[in-house]
Structure formats: structure tokens, C-alpha cells
Amino acid sequence: MHPEIDNRIRVFRAEHRMSQGELAEAIGVSRKTISTIEVGKFVPSTIIALKIARYFKVPVEEVFSLTDMEQQSA
């Protein structure tokens, strides 16, 4: 079983009162990229994940997390 990536991009966008398009422009990707990451259809590259975290001035772990941690100790 592979872990899934969960994210809080929508929460951070709401806190900063910004649209998907505004975030996309700020980090250099398309609005569609932000949309597909938010709904879990696309797992961002490390670079995109770091750019999003840097934009919101938080550690990447506050934006993205693994949802299946059961096998971490195996």
C-alpha cells in the first residue's frame, strides 16, 4: 500500500485571501496545476511543494503530509 499525499493548500489560500490563479502566478505554475494538487489528482514535484511552502512561509510539512503512516515502522 502506497501512502497518499494530503495537503492544506486551500486552507492557506483562504487565510491569505487568494485565488488559485494568484498562487499559481506567484510560484510560476498554472491555475490548473494548483487545482489538481488541491483535490489530490496530482502529486506535486518537490520543487513545487517547496515553492508553495516558501510562499506561505511555513515548513513543507505544514502544507503536505502523508495520509497512510501505518507501514512507517515496518
Side-chain angles (χ1 to χ4, degrees):
M1 177 181 259
H2 296 285
E4 297 292 323
I5 302 281
D6 193 16
N7 73 77
R8 298 180 62 224
I9 298 171
R10 186 171 299 164
V11 172
F12 282 103
R13 282 194 310 99
E15 288 174 0
H16 288 79
R17 300 183 196 279
M18 68 185 322
S19 68
Q20 290 177 341
E22 290 168 329
L23 177 58
E25 185 175 332
I27 67 165
V29 299
S30 71
R31 185 207 59 80
K32 179 91 170 159
T33 297
I34 298 298
S35 174
T36 57
I37 293 170
E38 277 189 7
V39 298
K41 289 184 179 178
F42 177 71
V43 175
S45 68
T46 304
I47 291 171
I48 292 173
L50 290 169
K51 284 182 176 183
I52 292 169
R54 179 184 288 170
Y55 180 82
F56 291 121
K57 297 179 174 76
V58 296
V60 72
E61 295 89 350
E62 285 190 33
V63 182
F64 298 95
S65 62
L66 295 176
T67 58
D68 176 26
M69 300 297 287
E70 292 176 355
Q71 296 184 357
Q72 185 177 20
S73 61

